[in-house]
C-alpha cells in the first residue's frame, strides 16, 4: 500500500491551465478505472472533484477534468481562479480492496 | 442536508485505546458504505478502513490491521472506529466519509465530516 506519487507543488496564473499528475502501479491506478481527486483548503475537510477517472459530481465546475493513461492519472484545471488555490489529492482503489491516496499537491495561483 | 459529525477524539497514551463515533444525518445511512480517512498534522490523507452497508465487507489499511475495528449501527445512524494499541504515528485528524458509489471501497467519498483529532503521546 505505497502512496501514489504526485508533485509536491504546482503553480499557475489566473486564467491559465495546470495539470497535476498521479503515478501509481498496475496494482492500483493502472488496473482500475477508480481514480478520484479531492480538493482541500486549509483547515477544511476534503471535497470530491473527480471520480471514476473523469466524472464530475454535481456542482463541480467543468473547469476540472480528469484522465488516465497507463499507471498515471491526471487532473487538469483550466481557467485558473484564486479560489482554486488548495491542496489536491488523488486516490485509487487498489488490490485486496484497499484504497491508496497520493501524497498531495499544493496548487498556488500566482 | 447530509451531515457527518465525528466525536471521541482526544489525548491518549501509547498503547491505549479510543473509540471514535460518526453521527450521520440527512440521508439513509443504511444504504451507504462508509470509510474512515485520517490526516496526520501537516501531512497528506491516508485511508484507514471501509465498511459496506450491512457490515459484510470490511477492509483495513495495513498500518492499522489487527489494531483498529470499524463497525456501524444502522438503527442509530452511527459509524464507529475502535482503536487499540495506539502508537504515536496514529496521531491525526480522523474523518468519516460517505462512499457514494456503492460497494467498492473509496470510489466516491462524496461527503466528509469535519474530523476529530486524536493525539497519541505520553
Amino acid at each position: 500500500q505505497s502512496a501514489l506519487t504526485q508533485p509536491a507543488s504546482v503553480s499557475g496564473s489566473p486564467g491559465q491551465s495546470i495539470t497535476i499528475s498521479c503515478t501509481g502501479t498496475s496494482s492500483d491506478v493502472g488496473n482500475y478505472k477508480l481514480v478520484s481527486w479531492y480538493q482541500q483548503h486549509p483547515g477544511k475537510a476534503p471535497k470530491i472533484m473527480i471520480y471514476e477517472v473523469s466524472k464530475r459530481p454535481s456542482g463541480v465546475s467543468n473547469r476540472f477534468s480528469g484522465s488516465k493513461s497507463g499507471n498515471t492519472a491526471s487532473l487538469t484545471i483550466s481557467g485558473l481562479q484564486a479560489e482554486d488555490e488548495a491542496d489536491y489529492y488523488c486516490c485509487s482503489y487498489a488490490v485486496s480492496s484497499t484504497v491508496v491516496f497520493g501524497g498531495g499537491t499544493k496548487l498556488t495561483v500566482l | 442536508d447530509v451531515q457527518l459529525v465525528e466525536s471521541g477524539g482526544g489525548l491518549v497514551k501509547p498503547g491505549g485505546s479510543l473509540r471514535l463515533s460518526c453521527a450521520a444525518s440527512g440521508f439513509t445511512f443504511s444504504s451507504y458504505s462508509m470509510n474512515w480517512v485520517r490526516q496526520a498534522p501537516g501531512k497528506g490523507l491516508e485511508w484507514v478502513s471501509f465498511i459496506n452497508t450491512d457490515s459484510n465487507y470490511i477492509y483495513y489499511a495495513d498500518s492499522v490491521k489487527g489494531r483498529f475495528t470499524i463497525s456501524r449501527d444502522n438503527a442509530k445512524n452511527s459509524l464507529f472506529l475502535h482503536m487499540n494499541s495506539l502508537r504515536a504515528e496514529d496521531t491525526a485528524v480522523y474523518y468519516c466519509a460517505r462512499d457514494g458509489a456503492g460497494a467498492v471501497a473509496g470510489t466516491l467519498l462524496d461527503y466528509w465530516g469535519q474530523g476529530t483529532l486524536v493525539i497519541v503521546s505520553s
Side-chain angles (χ1 to χ4, degrees), chain B residues 41-61:
Chain B
K43 301 298 184 182
L45 301 173
E46 181 187 14
W47 173 79
V48 173
S49 185
F50 165 92
I51 186 169
N52 78 325
T53 55
D54 56 9
S55 305
N56 282 343
Y57 294 95
I58 288 175
Y59 307 111
Y60 299 98

Side-chain angles (χ1 to χ4, degrees), chain B residues 33-106:
Chain B
S33 300
M34 298 293 294
N35 295 264
W36 286 99
V37 177
R38 68 184 181 182
Q39 186 169 34
K43 301 298 184 182
L45 301 173
E46 181 187 14
W47 173 79
V48 173
S49 185
F50 165 92
I51 186 169
N52 78 325
T53 55
D54 56 9
S55 305
N56 282 343
Y57 294 95
I58 288 175
Y59 307 111
Y60 299 98
D62 287 346
S63 58
V64 306
K65 199 175 295 183
R67 300 187 299 122
F68 289 12
T69 301
I70 191 172
S71 63
R72 64 190 295 161
D73 185 337
N74 287 340
K76 294 184 178 179
N77 294 334
S78 295
L79 176 72
F80 305 101
L81 187 67
H82 301 255
M83 304 186 295
N84 296 322
S85 304
L86 282 161
R87 306 166 180 166
E89 52 265 36
D90 295 319
T91 294
V93 172
Y94 285 74
Y95 295 101
C96 65
R98 190 181 84 166
D99 215 314
V104 180

Side-chain angles (χ1 to χ4, degrees), chain A residues 33-36 50-55, chain B residues 101 107:
Chain A
K33 294 180 180 178
L34 295 174
V35 176
S36 50
I50 295 288
Y51 69 103
E52 292 179 12
V53 176
S54 59
K55 296 180 180 178
Chain B
T107 304

Side-chain angles (χ1 to χ4, degrees), chain A residues 16-88:
Chain A
Q16 287 186 331
S17 294
I18 63 95
T19 297
I20 299 172
S21 62
C22 169
T23 301
T25 69
S26 57
S27 296
D28 38 64
V29 174
N31 202 31
Y32 306 99
K33 294 180 180 178
L34 295 174
V35 176
S36 50
W37 289 89
Y38 298 85
Q39 175 193 68
Q40 187 181 34
H41 288 107
K44 300 294 188 182
K47 174 187 175 185
I48 180 77
M49 305 305 284
I50 295 288
Y51 69 103
E52 292 179 12
V53 176
S54 59
K55 296 180 180 178
R56 266 191 317 275
S58 173
V60 172
S61 170
N62 59 9
R63 298 185 298 106
F64 292 82
S65 61
S67 63
K68 189 186 83 152
S69 177
N71 294 339
T72 299
S74 300
L75 173 72
T76 297
I77 308 174
S78 59
L80 267 181
Q81 299 180 1
E83 64 256 34
D84 298 333
E85 185 162 294
D87 293 326
Y88 291 84

Side-chain angles (χ1 to χ4, degrees), chain A residues 3-10 20-22 37-38 40 86-91 101-107, chain B residues 39 43-45:
Chain A
L4 306 175
T5 300
Q6 298 181 232
S9 63
V10 298
I20 299 172
S21 62
C22 169
W37 289 89
Y38 298 85
Q40 187 181 34
D87 293 326
Y88 291 84
Y89 295 90
C90 61
C91 175
F101 279 94
T105 298
K106 181 177 180 59
L107 169 62
Chain B
Q39 186 169 34
K43 301 298 184 182
L45 301 173

